[in-house]
Amino acid sequence: MGIDSSRTAFERTRLSLGGGVSSGLRAAMRPVPLFVEKGRGAHVWDLDGDRYLDYVMAWGPLVHGHSHPHVIDSVMRVMTSMQVVGMGHRLEYEAAEAVLGSVPGAQRLVWTNTGTEAVQVALRFARAATGRHRIVKFTKAYHGWHDSVYASMTADDTGETAVPASRGQSPHAHADLIISQFNDTAAIEKLLASAEERQIAAVLVDPIMSNAGVTNPAPGFLETIRGLCDKHGVVLIFDEVITGFRIARGGAAEKFGVRPDLSVFGKAIAGGFTQSAVVGRADIIDLVEDGLTHAGTFNGNPVALAAVKAAMELSAEPGVFERLDDLGAAFETAIADVLNSAEASAGLRRVGSLLQFVPHGQETSLHGTDGLWSEITVGMVESGVVFMPSGKIFLSTAHSLDDIQETAALLERVLQRVPARP
């Protein structure tokens, strides 16, 4: 595959768009960010018309593949009658009912537009519900780019004090943040024992650390947090921007059997359109009627909510998540066999249709996984397969077993040209 047009487009874009990408992490794609003309099913086509098998899936939203006909048709019907109206419409309750009907224990929601925004809304709800102000998050966990939670993003950041993760962050932004360690039950027990004294309003957790290596919760870990939050009057928030409507229809609450007080959803909720939501207990969400401000011009956008309703209908079809899990298992087996045969010092972690490439002895990163994975991504894109720089691999219902076998065969050829690393 030639990427000359993408290279030329990237250089041109850098003259007008900061960094040459619309989201900073995309700049880590190797050898250059791919510029595409269209996407259908499990494939994208670049500016030269070359087709690529896509495991990026828009960085997670496309559980049902690119341009699924049901999503596109639903959106087109609405677009011919309205765009954004700033008033009520039927899709507000139809889409909300579809989401609430999917998530165990969900009673009410509010609409927002991005995962980052929804996290901030959820934190406001937690503070209003408890009268406290501090938040516990876990090292390496990504909860959006907002100053208040974008902190302690490397494995070395093990202390309770938050470490800024970007230039330009306010030195005061993390005053309310307390850092703990995922799957360290003793640490979270110690923290929450002093929840009232330390003014802890919420524990914010990605149940599988989606952007920090894809790690299952240890047996009893989420259950322990749930019990401690109940005991100490703390709001438990699941960040399901990635896990929601991907690892199960009802997300982590369904898969692990632990119900949070609030959940944050984005990405897959709208099948490729811009939408997010904060979902949870009615008594907390209903604080919007009692002094809690929740606003936004584009909240409840009918075009996006048409996509939400359609995506929920697709997710409710029988066997969808069983098929996704089967595809994930097939991918894990096929790729692991290739890695083992090549004596590559790496493996895979998997939760359902989300996988993570893990170099042995190296840290995986939100910003990109160097070394062997970087060389693999270059070789694979040249062979017509697109992977994410972070090593995450997203599958969709549009992928097939033939796609997986093709990917394994191409990876085997790439690894023959890349020396295994210790």
Side-chain angles (χ1 to χ4, degrees):
M1 295 281 178
I3 57 169
D4 289 345
S5 291
S6 288
R7 192 183 303 277
T8 300
F10 181 52
E11 291 303 319
R12 177 175 174 176
T13 307
R14 291 175 68 188
L15 298 176
S16 56
L17 184 66
V21 290
S22 294
S23 179
L25 299 181
R26 298 177 199 170
M29 296 189 77
R30 298 289 180 264
V32 295
L34 190 68
F35 278 65
V36 303
E37 197 72 31
K38 67 176 181 178
R40 293 286 186 276
H43 295 86
V44 293
W45 285 257
D46 70 8
L47 301 182
D48 294 317
D50 292 329
R51 190 181 78 159
Y52 298 78
L53 184 53
D54 180 19
Y55 292 105
V56 176
M57 288 289 118
W59 294 60
L62 301 176
V63 169
H64 306 290
H66 291 276
S67 304
H68 191 285
H70 183 54
V71 175
I72 298 303
D73 290 347
S74 299
V75 167
M76 291 299 293
R77 285 195 298 271
V78 173
M79 286 183 67
T80 59
S81 57
M82 58 180 167
Q83 293 167 291
V84 63
V85 293
M87 290 171 274
H89 53 87
R90 285 181 295 182
L91 281 164
E92 288 184 300
Y93 57 80
E94 291 176 353
E97 289 165 358
V99 171
L100 296 178
S102 302
V103 180
Q107 298 173 318
R108 207 89 82 229
L109 65 74
V110 294
W111 296 119
T112 52
N113 298 287
T114 69
T116 292
E117 180 184 358
V119 166
Q120 296 303 309
V121 173
L123 298 185
R124 179 172 291 184
F125 275 120
R127 290 175 172 127
T130 62
R132 305 172 188 171
H133 60 276
R134 303 196 76 188
I135 307 298
V136 176
K137 68 150 279 194
F138 297 90
T139 295
K140 292 181 66 178
Y142 178 71
H143 300 291
W145 52 260
H146 195 277
D147 278 8
S148 63
V149 290
Y150 189 48
S152 298
M153 295 300 296
T154 75
D156 295 331
D157 300 331
T158 57
E160 287 187 9
T161 301
V163 178
S166 171
R167 293 182 62 186
Q169 291 184 266
S170 167
H172 308 294
H174 302 136
D176 288 341
L177 205 57
I178 303 173
I179 306 302
S180 191
Q181 306 305 311
F182 190 72
N183 278 338
D184 188 336
T185 301
I188 197 68
E189 285 178 339
K190 181 180 178 181
L191 270 179
L192 293 186
S194 59
E196 186 170 357
E197 175 187 347
R198 299 181 74 167
Q199 289 291 296
I200 296 174
V203 173
L204 174 63
V205 59
D206 176 343
I208 65 168
M209 298 290 277
S210 308
N211 281 304
V214 181
T215 303
N216 266 309
F221 181 66
L222 295 179
E223 291 85 349
T224 296
I225 297 177
R226 174 70 280 173
L228 291 168
C229 286
D230 287 338
K231 180 178 179 180
H232 299 293
V234 175
V235 174
L236 176 57
I237 304 171
F238 278 4
D239 181 345
E240 295 224 49
V241 170
I242 289 180
T243 58
F245 314 110
R246 171 166 288 281
I247 64 172
R249 182 187 176 202
E254 176 184 328
K255 186 170 184 66
F256 300 116
V258 177
R259 295 185 180 182
D261 300 301
L262 298 173
S263 297
V264 175
F265 292 102
K267 292 190 184 287
I269 196 173
F273 286 79
T274 302
Q275 188 62 50
S276 62
V278 180
V279 178
R281 284 169 35 191
D283 62 308
I284 297 179
I285 300 294
D286 286 347
L287 291 171
V288 294
E289 301 178 10
D290 189 25
L292 186 150
T293 299
H294 168 62
T297 298
F298 292 100
N299 292 350
N301 180 343
V303 175
L305 293 191
V308 170
K309 184 181 177 186
M312 294 302 100
E313 290 165 348
L314 291 173
S315 295
E317 290 180 354
V320 166
F321 290 95
E322 289 81 0
R323 170 172 162 70
L324 283 167
D325 193 59
D326 288 345
L327 285 169
F331 190 99
E332 182 180 26
T333 298
I335 301 304
D337 285 348
V338 172
L339 293 172
N340 290 335
S341 296
E343 298 183 349
S345 184
L348 293 173
R349 293 187 192 136
R350 180 178 73 88
V351 180
S353 61
L354 172 61
L355 298 99
Q356 173 72 51
F357 178 88
V358 183
H360 295 166
Q362 294 184 34
E363 180 184 346
T364 59
S365 169
L366 171 70
H367 301 281
T369 299
D370 294 325
L372 178 60
W373 181 250
S374 182
E375 297 184 42
I376 285 173
T377 58
V378 172
M380 291 300 281
V381 78
E382 291 172 348
S383 303
V385 178
V386 190
F387 285 138
M388 289 179 60
S390 67
K392 281 202 299 296
I393 296 156
F394 289 105
L395 291 163
S396 75
T397 58
H399 287 96
S400 68
L401 293 175
D402 287 343
D403 292 331
I404 292 170
Q405 292 305 316
E406 177 187 352
T407 302
L410 292 170
L411 177 62
E412 185 173 26
R413 294 176 199 166
V414 168
L415 287 174
Q416 289 172 355
R417 305 195 301 266
V418 176
R421 292 173 179 271

